[in-house]
Amino acid sequence: MEWFEKWSPRTGGCVAEGVRLAILNAVLLAGGGVVVFLLFEAVELLRRSGIPIPLPVWLVMVLLVIPYYVLMFQYGKAFGALNPSRKPVAGFAVGLLGQLPSVLLLLLSINVQLYRYISPPVWRALFTIISMIVIVAPIMVGLGSLDKDDKKNINM
């Protein structure tokens, strides 16, 4: 988990940590996006050859998206520990700033009309996954920043 410590928040500033999260998000989107796109296109190629298999959206969700949400929550939790104000808006602001690469990717794919160049089922799956990430990831960062890990011992 050393790579997370390298990218984890170091200050309590919203802008600095939002930019750090945006860079991390851009790296994760680039790597994960290429893998997901190639996987979906390989499945689409198999479908065209006559093999009736569904798109592995569940596989992408379980192996990439859910761990991504956990990472966003942990990032928010690390930010919340450093932020002295503990205001709820601060964590959500970091999450929104951090999702700028996702929003730009979504807008770029719409403006370039990416749906004309790839098959409609692949486009729908990619658009839905990216849209869901744009909506849910800032919420996960915000909720992580509000998490109070007091670890009180309960005597039973």
Side-chain angles (χ1 to χ4, degrees), residues 77-134:
K77 191 173 179 179
F79 170 75
L82 294 173
N83 190 4
S85 68
R86 301 292 289 182
K87 293 181 180 177
V89 176
F92 290 106
V94 169
L96 288 173
L97 281 173
Q99 288 307 309
L100 283 178
S102 300
V103 172
L104 291 175
L105 176 65
L106 195 60
L107 291 175
L108 183 69
S109 64
I110 292 170
N111 286 338
V112 175
Q113 298 178 350
L114 187 64
Y115 55 86
R116 289 185 171 191
Y117 305 108
I118 60 176
S119 68
V122 171
W123 166 252
R124 279 192 301 271
L126 290 175
F127 183 78
T128 303
I129 290 171
I130 294 172
S131 299
M132 188 173 52
I133 286 173
V134 165

Side-chain angles (χ1 to χ4, degrees), residues 41-53:
E41 283 298 317
V43 168
E44 190 63 27
L45 185 66
L46 289 173
R47 288 169 123 188
R48 287 183 192 148
S49 69
I51 302 172
I53 58 174

Side-chain angles (χ1 to χ4, degrees), residues 30-85:
V34 168
V35 169
V36 170
F37 182 74
L38 291 175
L39 177 67
F40 282 178
E41 283 298 317
V43 168
E44 190 63 27
L45 185 66
L46 289 173
R47 288 169 123 188
R48 287 183 192 148
S49 69
I51 302 172
I53 58 174
L55 285 175
V57 175
W58 62 271
L59 183 66
V60 170
M61 296 299 291
V62 169
L63 295 180
L64 291 176
V65 176
I66 292 174
Y68 177 78
Y69 289 154
V70 171
L71 180 69
M72 292 297 112
F73 185 85
Q74 292 298 326
Y75 191 91
K77 191 173 179 179
F79 170 75
L82 294 173
N83 190 4
S85 68

